[in-house]
Amino acid sequence: MKHLNETGLLLALMRAALHQDWQAQLPWPAGCSTQKLEDLILRQSLVSMIYPVLKNQKGAAWAPLQQSMKRPYEKMIQLGVMQEYEIQALLDSFEQEGVDCMPIKGWITRTFYPDPLMRSMADLDVVIRQMDSGRMRTWMEARDYVYDDTEKGFHDGYWKLPFMYVELHQCATDRRSLPADEAAWVEQKEQGLWDPENLLPGKKHIYRMGMEDFYVHSLLHFRKHFTGSGVGIRFLADIYVFRQQRLPLDAARIRSQLEAVHMTAFARQMERIANACFDGTGTPALDRDAALVVDYLVSAGVHGNREVQRALQVQQRGQGTYLHNMPREVLRQCFPSAEVLHKRYPRLEKAPWLLPAYWAVRAVRIVAQERYKIGQARRSSSKKAYDQLREVYLAAGVLEK
């Protein structure tokens, strides 16, 4: 594995935390870099999970990391507590005002952890049954939320600084990222979200997915990011803690849903790799496929990065060298889609006729001042990068061997 010592120690810290083995004593590997390990912890948003184990480690080698992680941990816990309070108040308002809604993703996932605050959360995702953007904007602004003009398309975003970001969705799954047959199946499936059996006990307007549907939806979201811009290793921990709940799940229902979205192999591999990483004690020993996937997950931050995204785009086009893609890549960098420009330049919402001018300005700037972006694309689009990513896809079950 890349950064073998640091990645192995990170997994050992996560493993101890997930098993609530707060007093576990872990050896500091020879050659392990404090700075690299700190960077991994922060980029993967894992400080709130592992610090309770980290702070109890003995030995001088641990002291610098314990000191540097103390303040980020305190800030993350403070953030988590404020989020819990604000989210509950918002959901109470939905219930009182008769707004049918369904919280999804991280807000539900964190309830499966030994302590919900172990699992940090960037935002609250809520599906609204009758999503009227104008009406909901008025409703949210009356509660001191500010509309996010930079977010377009699949959801409406709202800020309440300094700690809250809420995404209101009209459906649970962004079907634009799915092949046509999978999108059609998901659309049909989501018609059952609002069955009365999904209402939370004692509630008239707050719904929750059935656990089988929630698990498949989580895996869909994982695969979307895995094959989009990359994603962090926290998703593996999410799978692990969910499977550890020993819920009375309908295995046949899960299996049929996975087959419908062509995700059986991916789910099987992610479950196996999650168990390899987090079962038992100490530092995990991973086979080749597991090591490839873990390397890929720790190479990007918790939400991925642009270099991974560029390499993934080449993988999806099925071409292995930058020379095949160079003209298209230059055009894409200089002339991105209108949707991308609208996200980046909110002024276009009120002045769409300026679109050609923004394209021209962007092209001149990239060619004259930001040629490094083309260089980055060339490196991430090399034959070597393509072949490495293909190996990861095979190891993860995204592609069939």
Side-chain angles (χ1 to χ4, degrees):
M1 290 189 293
K2 299 174 185 175
H3 308 308
L4 175 63
N5 293 327
E6 294 81 21
T7 299
L9 190 50
L10 177 69
L11 291 176
L13 287 164
M14 293 176 68
R15 175 183 280 188
L18 294 177
H19 289 276
Q20 303 181 72
D21 189 3
W22 312 119
Q23 303 301 323
Q25 293 301 301
L26 304 174
W28 184 272
C32 183
S33 165
T34 299
Q35 187 60 57
K36 287 180 180 178
L37 182 55
E38 180 179 335
D39 290 344
L40 277 179
I41 294 169
L42 294 176
R43 285 194 297 111
Q44 298 292 324
S45 294
L46 292 171
V47 64
S48 58
M49 181 188 299
I50 68 175
Y51 184 77
V53 178
L54 172 64
K55 72 177 182 179
N56 291 324
Q57 299 307 302
K58 308 297 183 183
W62 290 95
L65 190 64
Q66 290 168 331
Q67 183 176 359
S68 64
M69 289 288 97
K70 185 175 186 295
R71 182 56 182 156
Y73 172 74
E74 291 171 346
K75 291 177 66 175
M76 288 303 299
I77 294 301
Q78 183 182 25
L79 172 66
V81 171
M82 291 189 295
Q83 285 179 330
E84 292 276 344
Y85 178 83
E86 178 63 27
I87 290 170
Q88 194 56 61
L90 187 61
L91 293 177
D92 287 345
S93 291
F94 282 136
E95 174 71 11
Q96 293 165 9
E97 297 290 333
V99 179
D100 288 346
C101 66
M102 178 179 286
I104 57 174
K105 299 181 184 177
W107 173 245
I108 305 300
T109 298
R110 69 193 307 183
T111 64
F112 300 120
Y113 279 77
D115 180 345
L117 295 180
M118 289 174 62
R119 208 282 193 180
S120 62
M121 188 175 67
D123 50 39
L124 170 68
D125 295 273
V126 182
V127 184
I128 303 297
R129 185 173 189 174
Q130 295 177 334
M131 182 60 179
D132 181 325
S133 290
R135 181 175 68 90
M136 290 310 302
R137 179 170 180 173
T138 299
W139 195 90
M140 293 292 286
E141 288 177 344
R143 287 155 181 80
D144 299 323
Y145 281 84
V146 177
Y147 181 68
D148 183 1
D149 288 318
T150 65
E151 287 289 346
K152 305 296 174 187
F154 179 57
H155 62 259
D156 293 342
Y158 293 89
W159 287 103
K160 179 181 277 190
L161 297 177
F163 57 88
M164 276 301 301
Y165 190 75
V166 177
E167 295 181 355
L168 301 183
H169 301 252
Q170 59 184 347
C171 54
T173 303
D174 185 357
R175 295 188 284 273
R176 297 172 302 177
S177 63
L178 300 176
D181 60 335
E182 294 182 22
W185 182 87
V186 169
E187 183 174 7
Q188 180 184 17
K189 186 68 180 175
E190 290 197 350
Q191 293 175 2
L193 287 180
W194 309 106
D195 289 343
E197 65 181 21
N198 287 339
L199 277 169
L200 282 181
K203 302 296 183 182
K204 296 180 179 180
H205 301 283
I206 302 179
Y207 293 72
R208 184 167 179 172
M209 282 186 188
M211 287 297 96
E212 294 86 356
D213 297 344
F214 175 80
Y215 185 55
V216 174
H217 177 262
S218 298
L219 286 167
L220 268 173
H221 186 60
F222 186 8
R223 187 180 65 173
K224 169 192 169 184
H225 285 289
F226 194 98
T227 59
S229 58
V231 68
I233 201 164
R234 194 175 65 189
F235 269 89
L236 277 185
D238 291 348
I239 290 174
Y240 183 76
V241 297
F242 180 88
R243 301 297 298 187
Q244 292 299 303
Q245 300 304 304
R246 304 291 189 256
L247 298 170
L249 300 175
D250 186 336
R253 181 173 179 174
I254 292 176
R255 184 168 57 251
S256 67
Q257 292 190 54
L258 292 174
E259 290 171 353
V261 290
H262 313 297
M263 205 165 54
T264 303
F266 179 75
R268 182 172 58 246
Q269 279 294 79
M270 292 304 105
E271 290 170 359
R272 185 185 71 82
I273 294 170
N275 288 337
C277 288
F278 304 124
D279 265 348
T281 60
T283 302
L286 306 180
D287 61 24
R288 179 179 179 277
D289 283 353
L292 282 171
V293 170
V294 168
D295 267 348
Y296 174 72
L297 294 175
V298 300
S299 68
V302 67
H303 302 299
N305 62 31
R306 288 187 177 182
E307 284 203 12
V308 173
Q309 184 179 35
R310 281 190 286 265
L312 285 164
Q313 288 168 345
V314 175
Q315 173 70 35
Q316 291 159 2
R317 288 195 290 266
Q319 298 171 347
T321 67
Y322 179 72
L323 291 177
H324 283 113
N325 299 296
M326 184 165 59
R328 183 185 300 179
E329 187 64 38
V330 172
L331 287 173
R332 191 185 67 81
Q333 288 282 350
C334 294
F335 304 103
S337 68
E339 181 181 359
V340 169
L341 282 183
H342 275 78
K343 287 183 178 180
R344 189 159 298 176
Y345 306 108
R347 185 180 177 186
L348 287 172
E349 288 298 301
K350 296 182 179 180
W353 60 86
L354 291 176
L355 184 62
Y358 275 98
W359 266 324
V361 169
R362 180 179 174 85
V364 170
R365 188 179 72 243
I366 287 177
V367 173
Q369 299 177 349
E370 299 181 3
R371 293 179 63 86
Y372 69 91
K373 291 184 177 180
I374 304 300
Q376 290 174 342
R378 182 172 63 252
R379 290 190 295 274
S380 60
S381 303
S382 68
K383 180 66 163 62
K384 180 180 179 181
Y386 173 87
D387 289 342
Q388 289 175 340
L389 194 53
R390 180 174 175 80
E391 287 297 307
V392 171
Y393 271 34
L394 288 168
V398 175
L399 296 177
E400 295 290 342
K401 293 187 178 181

